[in-house]
Amino acid sequence: MDAGPSDQLQAVTAGRVPVARVLGLSMAAVFATTLFVRAVDPVIPRIADHFAMDPHTVALLATAFSLPYAIMQPVLGGLADAWGKTRLMTWALVALVVSAGIGAVAQSFPMLLLSRVMSGIVAGGVFPIAVAIAADLVTVEKRQVAVSRMLGAAMIGNVLGSPAAGMAADLIGWRGVFVGMGVLAAIAMVAALVGFRGLKASAASRVSLRALPATYGGIFHNPLAKICYGAVLVEAICLFGLMPYVAGLLAERGEPRASIAGLVIAGFGIGGIFYASTVSLLLGRMGERGLMLAGGTLMGCALMVVSLPLPWWLQMLDFAVMGLGFYMLHGVIQIYASELAPTARGSAMAMHSASFFFGNALGPVVYGWTLPAVGLTATVLPAGAILIGVGIVCSRWLRRAPTS
């Protein structure tokens, strides 16, 4: 059962900070942070050329971001509940600006790797916390729409970030990608410092750090936790493991431009934006079970289509279908995850994000082994079938507890 608007809403009211402003600033932070996730993918071949390295090794920059992101999530989620969600988000943005600066001036691959590790450590203090804030401020009946707006901000970052990164690499080099990420993170940081001023976390909303083991134990005691967290882990391995290799696969097919790789990857975000703009209609027509089943099917089939030798613009369209399917399923899972522990949503959403980014970290490693060993077709066909299975499992087993 959901606790309804939490003490965080009372804190917003007491601090005379409008709810819309808090959500808007959270969306701006999500947008800026999303660039750190996928913007490097289109420029992997350029970085490999610069440092005279194997592109498959350089592709592990994705793992260097995702693995520390996942590992730090339980810590950041607990800090958010104990220290204050908006305060943690602001300091995470400060650290992201610093990490982007290190990446922009890196003179060696280990230094560049360090910048990605650093950004991965702190980036988890933004998106999952923003979703937790939205869950605090919005009742469960309206939460799907509120969370979809957070997803929309993330998807706009994906849509603009990937092609912009590719164009920057084509025009001024890969370092420009890190400069751009740092500038946008700095803008979001300043906005947060100013806009969150006056927001006070109420004592009732705080969670003691000493109570975190019991808090996480209580979260996993909920049987839906295993389904939510396991589903997003598998999603990420099968789907996002491919992303760092998209530019290389396009180059093998005669399209070496980083800007085109960025556009193809941006197709995924376009599908996400379509989902965010139509979620109310989709939910009304299909219901949660229908969204999960259709989402898994679309996502899995679109991943299988990647094996076909299509022109880049059709690949971009396929990635849009893939993005739509992903968010149809993933968006519903997120809502269930936000209800696992209403009194410790930061921790619950942190574990959700940790599971997802563990998959993001493992995915490139898995694809880095299977692509050379068995080829693209033998890699994406079973991965697509697994994603369809995830949709079936979630649609069957995720059920909302009756409210009292």
Side-chain angles (χ1 to χ4, degrees):
M1 184 179 71
D2 198 308
S6 73
D7 291 316
Q8 183 68 24
L9 179 55
Q10 298 174 18
V12 172
T13 304
R16 296 182 180 179
V17 179
V19 172
R21 184 199 300 179
V22 175
L23 294 178
L25 290 170
S26 299
M27 289 171 64
V30 167
F31 169 79
T33 307
T34 301
L35 301 177
F36 285 78
V37 182
R38 299 261 76 96
V40 176
D41 291 346
V43 299
I44 291 295
R46 299 299 178 90
I47 297 174
D49 289 343
H50 180 86
F51 291 112
M53 296 179 63
D54 178 15
H56 284 79
T57 300
V58 178
L60 293 179
L61 285 172
T63 298
F65 177 91
S66 300
L67 186 58
Y69 188 117
I71 292 173
M72 287 300 295
Q73 276 302 284
V75 177
L76 292 173
L79 284 175
D81 287 328
W83 193 34
K85 297 180 181 71
T86 54
R87 183 184 299 176
L88 177 69
M89 184 184 295
T90 302
W91 282 105
L93 289 168
V94 173
L96 282 171
V97 172
V98 175
S99 70
I102 294 173
V105 301
Q107 298 300 310
S108 65
F109 183 73
M111 183 62 68
L112 185 61
L113 198 70
L114 175 64
S115 77
R116 292 296 286 166
V117 170
M118 180 178 176
S119 60
I121 288 173
V122 297
V126 179
F127 180 73
I129 305 306
V131 173
I133 289 173
D136 280 348
L137 300 179
V138 181
T139 59
V140 67
E141 292 80 10
K142 300 179 180 179
R143 193 172 300 157
Q144 184 83 46
V145 175
V147 172
S148 74
R149 289 173 181 167
M150 293 294 175
L151 291 174
M155 289 307 96
I156 292 172
N158 271 329
V159 168
L160 297 180
S162 294
M167 288 187 286
D170 286 339
L171 294 174
I172 61 176
W174 61 267
R175 294 184 189 278
V177 175
F178 288 86
V179 173
M181 290 191 298
V183 169
L184 289 174
I187 294 172
M189 175 193 71
V190 173
L193 287 170
V194 175
F196 287 147
R197 188 178 299 170
L199 179 60
K200 300 177 181 179
S202 64
S205 67
R206 297 299 184 91
V207 174
S208 169
L209 288 176
R210 293 182 179 179
L212 284 183
T215 297
Y216 283 118
I219 291 171
F220 279 99
H221 185 71
N222 188 326
L224 296 185
K226 300 177 181 64
I227 299 174
C228 290
Y229 299 155
V232 297
L233 173 70
V234 176
E235 275 183 334
I237 293 173
C238 293
L239 193 61
F240 289 93
L242 176 68
M243 297 299 183
Y245 300 99
V246 170
L249 292 171
L250 287 170
E252 291 175 3
R253 294 173 177 176
E255 181 47 79
R257 288 175 291 178
S259 55
I260 296 300
L263 286 172
V264 171
I265 296 172
F268 191 91
I270 293 173
I273 290 176
F274 181 80
Y275 162 80
S277 62
T278 60
V279 60
S280 297
L281 177 63
L282 292 172
L283 189 60
R285 293 278 184 88
M286 306 175 68
E288 289 182 342
R289 291 186 65 188
L291 278 177
M292 289 186 281
L293 185 60
T297 301
L298 285 176
M299 177 171 43
C301 291
L303 181 59
M304 294 179 183
V305 170
V306 172
S307 62
L308 302 177
L310 301 175
W312 70 264
W313 58 273
L314 282 179
Q315 290 282 10
M316 180 180 175
L317 179 61
D318 181 55
F319 269 65
V321 174
M322 192 186 303
L324 173 62
F326 170 75
Y327 283 102
M328 288 172 69
L329 173 58
H330 192 79
V332 178
I333 296 173
Q334 277 191 315
I335 299 305
Y336 279 90
S338 74
E339 298 174 39
L340 293 174
T343 60
R345 283 198 178 94
S347 300
M349 293 310 299
M351 286 306 304
H352 173 274
S353 191
S355 301
F356 180 63
F357 275 88
F358 266 123
N360 270 269
L362 292 173
V365 177
V366 173
Y367 272 80
W369 175 73
T370 57
L371 286 175
V374 300
L376 178 62
T377 301
T379 297
V380 297
L381 290 185
I386 290 171
L387 290 175
I388 294 172
V390 171
I392 294 172
V393 169
C394 289
S395 68
R396 180 170 182 177
W397 293 104
L398 286 182
R399 293 286 187 275
R400 199 176 305 282
T403 57
S404 58

